[in-house]
Structure formats: structure tokens, C-alpha cells
Amino acid sequence: MGHDTVMAKVLFFGASSEASSSPNDADGEGSKFNLDQEYLYQDELMSPPIAGKENTASNNQSGASSTQATTNEQWALIEFEKPVTCQRNCLVIGSKLDTDIHSNTCRLAFHGELLHAVTDKTYNETLLPNLKIFKTKSREGVVERATDNYSVIGRSLFKKETNIQTFVGLKVRLSSGEEGVIEGGFGQSGKFKIRISSGLKEETFKQLSEKGKKGKKAAASASGEVEGASTDAPSGSRQSIKIFLDFKRYIFDSKKQMIQT
């Protein structure tokens, strides 16, 4: 059939560890491309795996999610500037054509086998929304206080203008180990309420209660109600309890929905 050289955009993605550990792997089926499977977005071409050593992608900086990708399984979505005539399973070679031809550098970037050819001109609307490539997202906030053994008030997770209603029902976890669900906003400053269905641990509730008392004492001191009281936290005070909101988002989802498992 010959060959053709065409400029193109490339997007890399790989199978998450959840997909890689499927029962099909034993038969070598786990590495086959499947439109029904979820894939983790990768912002670069991974190095070839070292023999006898399994490499893992480091895209998930926060470490909040266990869906890491394996570099042994990497695919590329290639969008050509113009249609290309090719046959199934043909060889595809990616080159860095902007590399100086006089430099002592190989311009070949990657190569692979064509697995799925797209002929639909409206693939942006028909195919891409069905391609489940996701990015992991993580937000971090702080517990301000506990209202009771099953509810806490959080802050610093959202901006003041954020519509917290879109986050209602999403699961969060505390650095102290408890898990909860966002119930809604609290006031007008971006604070929110979290419901801890299993209840706060005794030590967590005690820490938040002590923090609340110290906050009131500091406020009283600032207003002149308590003589000689210091607003500085004691050197041995405990660190604040953090709130983590982890989710994933499909990059071709026009609705930008937040997905949790």
C-alpha cells in the first residue's frame, strides 16, 4: 500500500491497574483495546518496560486513587490533519519532524499497530464521547469543627463562588480515617457540611472539640474579653484534620461529570 507522512495530534492513555488485573490477563486478553473499558490519561509517552520489572505511571501526583496505569499497556489516539489511506493492523510510526536534521538525534518517537480506524467525519460527536479516558482529580480542605458525632463543617475545599450543590452526594475522606458524604453548603463563604454515617472516632471528636474551645478563647482574647490570653497555638498542638475529595472525570465528557467508585 506504500506510505504517507501526515501531521497529527497524539493523545496517550493506558490501562488502569483495575483493568490490568482482570481475569483476562492470564490469557493475554487484558492488553487488547476495548471501547467498553476505562483508560487512564497519560501526558507523555512512557519508556519501554525493563525486562523483569514492572513500571508504573506517575500521573496521579496526589496518590489519592489506586487507579494507576502500567507502562506495559499504552495506547495512542492519533488525529490526522487529513484523511489517510491505510489497512487494518498496519504499522504506524510517529516522528518528531521539528527536530534539527543536522543534530545527532533519532527523530523516531514511537511505533505501533493500527487497532481501530475511524472513518466517520463526525467522530468528535459519535466516537470520542464513548472513549472512556479519564483523569484523576483531588481536592483538599480542612475540618473547621464538629457539630456533633456525625457531622462536621469543612472549609478551603471550594471557592466562595463555587456552586456546592453540584458536589452534594460525593464521598470524602478525612485524614483521621473517617469517610463521609457532602450534604450541602454552610453559610455563604464556601463552607460545607459533611455527614459521617459511621460517626467520628472518639479521639477525632475530642480533637475537634478542643480546637473549637481554643478558637472561642482566642476570639474572646482579641475582643478584650480575656485578659492576657494568647491567640498563638501551643507548640504541641495537633495538626488540622484534612478533607480529601477524590474523583475522576472523562476528558471527552461534555458535561464534565465527577465520577466516584
Side-chain angles (χ1 to χ4, degrees):
M1 295 273 308
H3 68 275
D4 201 354
T5 301
V6 182
M7 296 294 290
K9 291 192 305 180
V10 183
L11 182 150
F12 296 105
F13 56 97
S16 67
S17 59
E18 292 177 352
S20 300
S21 60
S22 64
N24 289 334
D25 283 358
D27 301 323
E29 297 293 327
S31 60
K32 289 186 177 181
F33 177 71
N34 185 348
L35 274 173
D36 295 325
Q37 183 175 311
E38 289 188 338
Y39 296 92
L40 178 63
Y41 169 83
Q42 296 170 327
D43 58 6
E44 62 183 354
L45 178 66
M46 299 299 175
S47 302
I50 302 174
K53 199 172 185 180
E54 184 177 352
N55 300 323
T56 56
S58 58
N59 300 67
N60 191 1
Q61 299 287 339
S62 68
S65 174
S66 61
T67 51
Q68 303 241 343
T70 56
T71 57
N72 300 19
E73 300 178 323
Q74 187 172 35
W75 291 266
L77 170 65
I78 304 176
E79 298 179 80
F80 295 104
E81 287 188 346
K82 64 178 183 179
V84 176
T85 301
C86 58
Q87 63 185 27
R88 185 166 182 163
N89 302 324
C90 68
L91 176 65
V92 179
I93 300 176
S95 301
K96 298 180 66 176
L97 299 179
D98 56 347
T99 303
D100 184 0
I101 60 175
H102 299 294
S103 64
N104 186 22
T105 305
C106 178
R107 296 199 297 171
L108 299 182
F110 64 88
H111 67 88
E113 178 184 340
L114 177 63
L115 300 177
H116 186 86
V118 181
T119 57
D120 188 352
K121 292 182 179 180
T122 61
Y123 72 94
N124 284 302
E125 302 172 1
T126 58
L127 174 69
L128 294 189
N130 296 320
L131 190 54
K132 301 175 182 177
I133 301 175
F134 67 89
K135 289 184 178 181
T136 55
K137 303 284 185 178
S138 183
R139 293 193 179 196
E140 184 178 312
V142 178
V143 176
E144 183 174 86
R145 60 187 173 88
T147 55
D148 55 51
N149 284 319
Y150 295 91
S151 299
V152 298
I153 304 301
R155 59 178 173 82
S156 303
L157 192 67
F158 309 111
K159 296 180 180 178
K160 184 178 179 180
E161 62 273 16
T162 300
N163 180 13
I164 299 179
Q165 194 62 33
T166 60
F167 294 87
V168 170
L170 291 182
K171 295 178 288 186
V172 296
R173 56 188 176 89
L174 307 185
S175 57
S176 52
E178 295 90 340
E179 296 183 350
V181 175
I182 297 176
E183 281 195 328
F186 184 83
Q188 303 296 322
S189 59
K191 296 180 182 179
F192 53 98
K193 188 175 182 180
I194 298 174
R195 179 68 176 175
I196 311 293
S197 58
S198 58
L200 292 168
K201 297 177 182 177
E202 184 178 347
E203 58 269 28
T204 303
F205 186 73
K206 182 179 179 181
Q207 179 180 345
L208 292 173
S209 299
E210 290 175 350
K211 181 180 178 181
K213 292 177 181 178
K214 290 175 182 176
K216 291 179 180 178
K217 185 176 180 180
S221 174
S223 63
E225 294 176 15
V226 177
E227 294 292 336
S230 173
T231 59
D232 296 330
S235 57
S237 62
R238 299 180 183 178
Q239 293 184 348
S240 298
I241 296 175
K242 295 182 179 180
I243 304 168
F244 300 102
L245 170 62
D246 307 317
F247 59 93
K248 58 186 177 183
R249 180 174 283 163
Y250 297 126
I251 63 175
F252 296 119
D253 179 15
S254 59
K255 297 181 180 179
K256 299 186 180 300
Q257 299 179 82
M258 293 168 284
I259 310 297
Q260 290 185 321
T261 53

